Amino acid sequence: MADAPSGADVVNNGALLTHEDKIIAVGSAEEILMHPSLTNASMLDRIDCKNQLLLPGFIDCHTHLVYAGDRSREFEQRLEGVSYEEIARLGGGIRSTVTDTRHSAQEDLVRGAVSRAKRMCSEGVTTIEVKGGYGLTLECEQKMLRVARSLETVLPVSVHTTFLGAHAVPEEFSGRSDGYIDLVCSVMLPEIAKEGLADSVDAFCENIAFSEPQVRRVFEKAHALGLPVRLHADQLSNSQGARLAAEFSALSADHLEYTDEAGVRALKQAGTVAVLLPGAFYFLKEQQRPPVNLFRKHQVPMALATDCNPGSSPVESLLLILNMGCVLFGLTPREAVAGITVHAAKALGYSDRGVLASGKRADFSVFEVESLAQLCYPVGTREPSMVIQAGNLVSKNPKP
Ligand code: DI6
Ligand code: FE
């Protein structure tokens, strides 16, 4: 291979040795060929990746991949000048996807989610986080999370599931949001945790969603049940979401367009990853950029994700997000790639992936490019020439 970035460092003329689902050595081609575990070099299954770039499997650490319906009518309304918040206040937005998702059979939700996840995998994504949050009843949230879990059984991908019961106030609880939070904390969360359906718990802290005290109740319950938390924070206004996420040692705080320096400092102290979502920023024509320079100044790790969802980010391409992270948020190619590998792994609480190093999962892909800049530069998709997940070759596109 030409280059093998381990962490954020690029190794020229590198090589990588795997056994079963693990990487056992990374180094120069000469070092690897001398590796003690290679007693019989002829037994080697060698793949020549000359003039190509080898990267850790990509991790999409924030998606709402399971949903029914589409929101193109709402897209038109926004083009006519109605805001995202107004649409939500009028009962559209998330609630309209909730109606469609509730009426959708589990098999139909699987079909939609598989087709979206397949497109992600074809770009080199090997781990996806998938949220619930379009059910808002115990039964429908269970249905969504079961669909999310099932993706692992049909595609070469690992899935991290997130319970997002506190995404929106469902219609039947209109004007009674505290009553809905009671249901989330006393019925939904305990049952979801008992069944092992969620790996983490998320909430939407915003004036069109839930208040700080309401999110606090959800997070206290999540911690009591042993589940880590993450938060949709400061997306549309500074609602002190970053501070709240940090207070609960959240794995990640996501969006963060309106976060101030005190919030950034709090994230640093808590070790919380800032997940930036340029797809939603672009699609909602947001004017306020997340405070990237403050994240740099305080050394808060930045991840990038698609936020794939039908309302604010109908984006399935993590490679497009890589480009958007650079163009819209001013990330360097190196920062952008770290955002979908090493920092995305941290945002999911994983230390076994995201870098090419001995002992990590053998999740990686090979691209016919010469540099990280070349990977980030095209607007749109670029197929990897090879993807390996858990040590298995899952796709190979012959060179033209
Ligand atoms: N913020 C988002 O960007 C998604 N959820 C959230 O809390 C959007 C969800 C939607 O509009 O359907
Ligand atoms: Fe989201």
Side-chain angles (χ1 to χ4, degrees):
M1 76 199 67
D3 300 317
S6 77
D9 301 320
V10 179
V11 178
N12 286 312
N13 191 26
L16 179 138
L17 186 65
T18 67
H19 180 61
E20 294 176 347
D21 62 345
K22 294 277 187 303
I23 296 172
I24 51 176
V26 183
S28 71
E30 293 75 31
E31 278 166 358
I32 295 302
L33 283 170
M34 301 293 287
H35 194 272
S37 67
L38 293 180
T39 47
N40 181 356
S42 63
M43 282 169 61
L44 266 180
D45 203 0
R46 284 172 70 164
I47 304 176
D48 185 357
C49 301
K50 206 168 168 194
N51 299 325
Q52 301 192 70
L53 190 71
L54 193 111
L55 292 144
F58 299 149
I59 299 169
D60 195 342
C61 66
H62 181 142
T63 86
H64 307 251
L65 201 65
V66 179
Y67 63 81
D70 84 80
R71 306 247 288 275
S72 50
R73 173 63 200 123
E74 196 180 289
F75 173 60
E76 270 184 322
Q77 280 179 293
R78 286 199 298 106
L79 293 173
E80 287 155 11
V82 191
S83 76
Y84 181 73
E85 286 101 317
E86 266 175 276
I87 291 168
R89 282 198 194 95
L90 294 170
I94 294 172
R95 273 191 189 173
S96 75
T97 303
V98 170
T99 305
D100 290 337
T101 305
R102 284 181 179 178
H103 288 124
S104 190
Q106 190 161 320
E107 313 80 77
D108 295 329
L109 287 177
V110 169
R111 208 168 303 123
V114 165
S115 94
R116 290 185 273 275
K118 238 186 203 164
R119 280 192 282 279
M120 291 176 168
C121 293
S122 74
E123 288 192 345
V125 171
T126 50
T127 300
I128 308 182
E129 185 259 11
V130 183
K131 301 175 194 296
Y134 289 126
L136 312 184
T137 61
L138 174 61
E139 295 69 28
C140 195
E141 289 297 324
Q142 286 168 319
K143 178 171 74 174
M144 287 188 75
L145 293 173
R146 284 183 191 127
V147 170
R149 282 259 192 261
S150 76
L151 296 175
E152 275 188 345
T153 63
V154 289
L155 292 172
V157 70
S158 16
V159 173
H160 176 110
T161 57
T162 301
F163 173 65
L164 177 56
H167 193 196
V169 181
E171 202 173 348
E172 62 277 17
F173 278 90
S174 261
R176 295 187 296 127
S177 58
D178 279 325
Y180 177 63
I181 292 294
D182 288 343
L183 179 74
V184 167
C185 294
S186 61
V187 179
M188 294 164 83
L189 247 173
E191 193 53 36
I192 297 279
K194 193 173 92 191
E195 286 181 50
L197 279 173
D199 300 313
S200 61
V201 173
D202 195 349
F204 189 17
C205 184
E206 195 57 68
N207 45 40
I208 55 166
F210 296 96
S211 66
E212 180 182 328
Q214 290 172 329
V215 172
R216 198 177 282 280
R217 287 181 57 204
V218 175
F219 282 4
E220 277 164 1
K221 188 69 192 181
H223 276 188
L225 293 164
L227 289 168
V229 301
R230 60 183 72 257
L231 186 65
H232 279 72
D234 306 331
Q235 179 186 5
L236 308 168
S237 62
N238 183 355
S239 31
Q240 297 295 312
R243 210 181 26 73
L244 180 60
E247 193 185 318
F248 284 85
S249 305
L251 289 172
S252 69
D254 304 42
H255 288 286
L256 303 174
E257 277 83 346
Y258 289 85
T259 300
D260 57 20
E261 189 159 8
V264 175
R265 275 208 196 90
L267 294 179
K268 173 63 187 171
Q269 271 185 353
T272 298
V273 176
V275 177
L276 310 185
L277 304 166
F281 173 91
Y282 162 80
F283 196 68
L284 297 183
K285 294 210 275 185
E286 177 59 64
Q287 298 299 309
Q288 173 102 6
R289 299 198 319 166
V292 165
N293 281 332
L294 291 177
F295 295 135
R296 286 183 181 131
K297 175 177 163 194
H298 295 285
Q299 297 181 314
V300 173
M302 291 178 276
L304 283 172
T306 59
D307 194 13
C308 176
N309 77 72
S312 68
S313 187
V315 176
E316 292 159 12
S317 169
L318 199 53
L319 289 173
L320 173 60
I321 291 297
L322 211 51
N323 175 274
M324 284 184 171
C326 296
V327 175
L328 299 175
F329 293 167
L331 299 190
T332 64
R334 185 173 285 254
E335 285 173 326
V337 173
I340 62 168
T341 54
V342 60
H343 294 159
K346 184 168 162 59
L348 297 182
Y350 294 148
S351 56
D352 65 346
R353 65 196 78 182
V355 289
L356 298 178
S358 156
K360 306 292 179 188
R361 280 172 61 95
D363 289 350
F364 53 92
S365 57
V366 181
F367 282 83
E368 224 168 300
V369 295
E370 286 169 7
S371 64
L372 298 181
Q374 220 175 55
L375 184 75
C376 297
Y377 145 83
V379 184
T381 62
R382 183 198 273 288
E383 293 227 312
S385 48
M386 203 180 299
V387 180
I388 281 132
Q389 197 252 359
N392 298 311
L393 179 65
V394 296
S395 75
K396 192 166 183 200
N397 303 307
K399 288 186 197 176

